[in-house]
PDB file of all heavy atoms in Angstrom:
ATOM      1  N   SER G 138     -10.228   7.576   0.038  1.00 97.00           N
ATOM      2  CA  SER G 138     -11.458   8.356  -0.150  1.00 97.00           C
ATOM      3  C   SER G 138     -11.231   9.820   0.218  1.00 97.00           C
ATOM      4  O   SER G 138     -10.266  10.161   0.900  1.00 97.00           O
ATOM      5  CB  SER G 138     -12.602   7.778   0.693  1.00 97.00           C
ATOM      6  OG  SER G 138     -12.267   7.794   2.061  1.00 97.00           O
ATOM      7  N   PHE G 139     -12.154  10.662  -0.240  1.00 97.00           N
ATOM      8  CA  PHE G 139     -12.055  12.099  -0.008  1.00 97.00           C
ATOM      9  C   PHE G 139     -12.957  12.546   1.142  1.00 97.00           C
ATOM     10  O   PHE G 139     -13.949  11.890   1.480  1.00 97.00           O
ATOM     11  CB  PHE G 139     -12.447  12.866  -1.267  1.00 97.00           C
ATOM     12  CG  PHE G 139     -11.466  12.731  -2.402  1.00 97.00           C
ATOM     13  CD1 PHE G 139     -11.749  11.947  -3.514  1.00 97.00           C
ATOM     14  CD2 PHE G 139     -10.243  13.394  -2.357  1.00 97.00           C
ATOM     15  CE1 PHE G 139     -10.843  11.832  -4.555  1.00 97.00           C
ATOM     16  CE2 PHE G 139      -9.334  13.284  -3.396  1.00 97.00           C
ATOM     17  CZ  PHE G 139      -9.635  12.498  -4.496  1.00 97.00           C
ATOM     18  N   LEU G 140     -12.577  13.683   1.726  1.00 97.00           N
ATOM     19  CA  LEU G 140     -13.411  14.382   2.697  1.00 97.00           C
ATOM     20  C   LEU G 140     -14.249  15.395   1.926  1.00 97.00           C
ATOM     21  O   LEU G 140     -13.720  16.134   1.097  1.00 97.00           O
ATOM     22  CB  LEU G 140     -12.525  15.097   3.717  1.00 97.00           C
ATOM     23  CG  LEU G 140     -13.222  15.893   4.825  1.00 97.00           C
ATOM     24  CD1 LEU G 140     -13.907  14.942   5.793  1.00 97.00           C
ATOM     25  CD2 LEU G 140     -12.208  16.760   5.570  1.00 97.00           C
ATOM     26  N   TYR G 141     -15.562  15.444   2.198  1.00 97.00           N
ATOM     27  CA  TYR G 141     -16.470  16.307   1.442  1.00 97.00           C
ATOM     28  C   TYR G 141     -17.060  17.400   2.337  1.00 97.00           C
ATOM     29  O   TYR G 141     -17.332  17.180   3.523  1.00 97.00           O
ATOM     30  CB  TYR G 141     -17.602  15.465   0.839  1.00 97.00           C
ATOM     31  CG  TYR G 141     -17.095  14.448  -0.156  1.00 97.00           C
ATOM     32  CD1 TYR G 141     -16.701  13.177   0.266  1.00 97.00           C
ATOM     33  CD2 TYR G 141     -16.967  14.761  -1.505  1.00 97.00           C
ATOM     34  CE1 TYR G 141     -16.210  12.248  -0.640  1.00 97.00           C
ATOM     35  CE2 TYR G 141     -16.482  13.832  -2.420  1.00 97.00           C
ATOM     36  CZ  TYR G 141     -16.101  12.584  -1.974  1.00 97.00           C
ATOM     37  OH  TYR G 141     -15.609  11.661  -2.866  1.00 97.00           O
ATOM     38  N   ASP G 142     -17.262  18.580   1.749  1.00 96.00           N
ATOM     39  CA  ASP G 142     -17.865  19.664   2.526  1.00 96.00           C
ATOM     40  C   ASP G 142     -19.389  19.531   2.535  1.00 96.00           C
ATOM     41  O   ASP G 142     -19.948  18.551   2.041  1.00 96.00           O
ATOM     42  CB  ASP G 142     -17.409  21.025   1.994  1.00 96.00           C
ATOM     43  CG  ASP G 142     -17.956  21.358   0.608  1.00 96.00           C
ATOM     44  OD1 ASP G 142     -18.853  20.636   0.110  1.00 96.00           O
ATOM     45  OD2 ASP G 142     -17.496  22.349   0.010  1.00 96.00           O
ATOM     46  N   HIS G 143     -20.072  20.546   3.079  1.00 95.00           N
ATOM     47  CA  HIS G 143     -21.531  20.489   3.232  1.00 95.00           C
ATOM     48  C   HIS G 143     -22.265  20.476   1.890  1.00 95.00           C
ATOM     49  O   HIS G 143     -23.449  20.126   1.827  1.00 95.00           O
ATOM     50  CB  HIS G 143     -22.018  21.668   4.090  1.00 95.00           C
ATOM     51  CG  HIS G 143     -21.726  23.000   3.489  1.00 95.00           C
ATOM     52  ND1 HIS G 143     -20.460  23.565   3.485  1.00 95.00           N
ATOM     53  CD2 HIS G 143     -22.530  23.903   2.858  1.00 95.00           C
ATOM     54  CE1 HIS G 143     -20.493  24.740   2.893  1.00 95.00           C
ATOM     55  NE2 HIS G 143     -21.734  24.971   2.503  1.00 95.00           N
ATOM     56  N   ASN G 144     -21.567  20.837   0.818  1.00 94.00           N
ATOM     57  CA  ASN G 144     -22.164  20.772  -0.521  1.00 94.00           C
ATOM     58  C   ASN G 144     -21.803  19.485  -1.252  1.00 94.00           C
ATOM     59  O   ASN G 144     -22.148  19.310  -2.420  1.00 94.00           O
ATOM     60  CB  ASN G 144     -21.695  21.969  -1.353  1.00 94.00           C
ATOM     61  CG  ASN G 144     -22.257  23.281  -0.844  1.00 94.00           C
ATOM     62  OD1 ASN G 144     -23.451  23.357  -0.527  1.00 94.00           O
ATOM     63  ND2 ASN G 144     -21.427  24.310  -0.746  1.00 94.00           N
ATOM     64  N   GLY G 145     -21.091  18.597  -0.555  1.00 95.00           N
ATOM     65  CA  GLY G 145     -20.705  17.329  -1.170  1.00 95.00           C
ATOM     66  C   GLY G 145     -19.508  17.444  -2.083  1.00 95.00           C
ATOM     67  O   GLY G 145     -19.262  16.543  -2.906  1.00 95.00           O
ATOM     68  N   VAL G 146     -18.731  18.537  -1.974  1.00 96.00           N
ATOM     69  CA  VAL G 146     -17.566  18.753  -2.835  1.00 96.00           C
ATOM     70  C   VAL G 146     -16.310  18.230  -2.142  1.00 96.00           C
ATOM     71  O   VAL G 146     -16.067  18.521  -0.965  1.00 96.00           O
ATOM     72  CB  VAL G 146     -17.395  20.252  -3.162  1.00 96.00           C
ATOM     73  CG1 VAL G 146     -16.151  20.477  -4.026  1.00 96.00           C
ATOM     74  CG2 VAL G 146     -18.638  20.782  -3.868  1.00 96.00           C
ATOM     75  N   ALA G 147     -15.509  17.473  -2.881  1.00 96.00           N
ATOM     76  CA  ALA G 147     -14.280  16.904  -2.327  1.00 96.00           C
ATOM     77  C   ALA G 147     -13.300  18.007  -1.964  1.00 96.00           C
ATOM     78  O   ALA G 147     -13.035  18.906  -2.762  1.00 96.00           O
ATOM     79  CB  ALA G 147     -13.644  15.948  -3.333  1.00 96.00           C
ATOM     80  N   GLN G 148     -12.759  17.938  -0.732  1.00 95.00           N
ATOM     81  CA  GLN G 148     -11.863  18.969  -0.242  1.00 95.00           C
ATOM     82  C   GLN G 148     -10.444  18.463   0.026  1.00 95.00           C
ATOM     83  O   GLN G 148      -9.482  19.197  -0.145  1.00 95.00           O
ATOM     84  CB  GLN G 148     -12.420  19.540   1.080  1.00 95.00           C
ATOM     85  CG  GLN G 148     -13.760  20.200   0.952  1.00 95.00           C
ATOM     86  CD  GLN G 148     -13.695  21.495   0.169  1.00 95.00           C
ATOM     87  OE1 GLN G 148     -12.967  22.412   0.527  1.00 95.00           O
ATOM     88  NE2 GLN G 148     -14.463  21.573  -0.917  1.00 95.00           N
ATOM     89  N   TRP G 149     -10.352  17.234   0.462  1.00 92.00           N
ATOM     90  CA  TRP G 149      -9.075  16.742   0.992  1.00 92.00           C
ATOM     91  C   TRP G 149      -9.145  15.223   1.103  1.00 92.00           C
ATOM     92  O   TRP G 149     -10.217  14.665   1.292  1.00 92.00           O
ATOM     93  CB  TRP G 149      -8.852  17.358   2.384  1.00 92.00           C
ATOM     94  CG  TRP G 149      -7.454  17.238   2.913  1.00 92.00           C
ATOM     95  CD1 TRP G 149      -7.006  16.334   3.822  1.00 92.00           C
ATOM     96  CD2 TRP G 149      -6.336  18.059   2.578  1.00 92.00           C
ATOM     97  NE1 TRP G 149      -5.669  16.530   4.073  1.00 92.00           N
ATOM     98  CE2 TRP G 149      -5.238  17.597   3.321  1.00 92.00           C
ATOM     99  CE3 TRP G 149      -6.164  19.153   1.717  1.00 92.00           C
ATOM    100  CZ2 TRP G 149      -3.968  18.173   3.225  1.00 92.00           C
ATOM    101  CZ3 TRP G 149      -4.906  19.737   1.632  1.00 92.00           C
ATOM    102  CH2 TRP G 149      -3.825  19.242   2.378  1.00 92.00           C
ATOM    103  N   PRO G 150      -8.003  14.527   1.013  1.00 93.00           N
ATOM    104  CA  PRO G 150      -8.036  13.072   1.243  1.00 93.00           C
ATOM    105  C   PRO G 150      -8.464  12.760   2.679  1.00 93.00           C
ATOM    106  O   PRO G 150      -7.888  13.299   3.630  1.00 93.00           O
ATOM    107  CB  PRO G 150      -6.593  12.637   0.990  1.00 93.00           C
ATOM    108  CG  PRO G 150      -6.024  13.699   0.103  1.00 93.00           C
ATOM    109  CD  PRO G 150      -6.671  14.974   0.559  1.00 93.00           C
ATOM    110  N   ALA G 151      -9.474  11.940   2.823  1.00 95.00           N
ATOM    111  CA  ALA G 151      -9.907  11.513   4.154  1.00 95.00           C
ATOM    112  C   ALA G 151      -9.214  10.218   4.562  1.00 95.00           C
ATOM    113  O   ALA G 151      -8.991   9.966   5.746  1.00 95.00           O
ATOM    114  CB  ALA G 151     -11.416  11.308   4.170  1.00 95.00           C
TER     115      ALA G 151
END
Side-chain angles (χ1 to χ4, degrees):
S138 60
F139 291 106
L140 180 70
Y141 297 89
D142 68 10
H143 62 285
N144 292 316
V146 178
Q148 298 291 302
W149 195 259

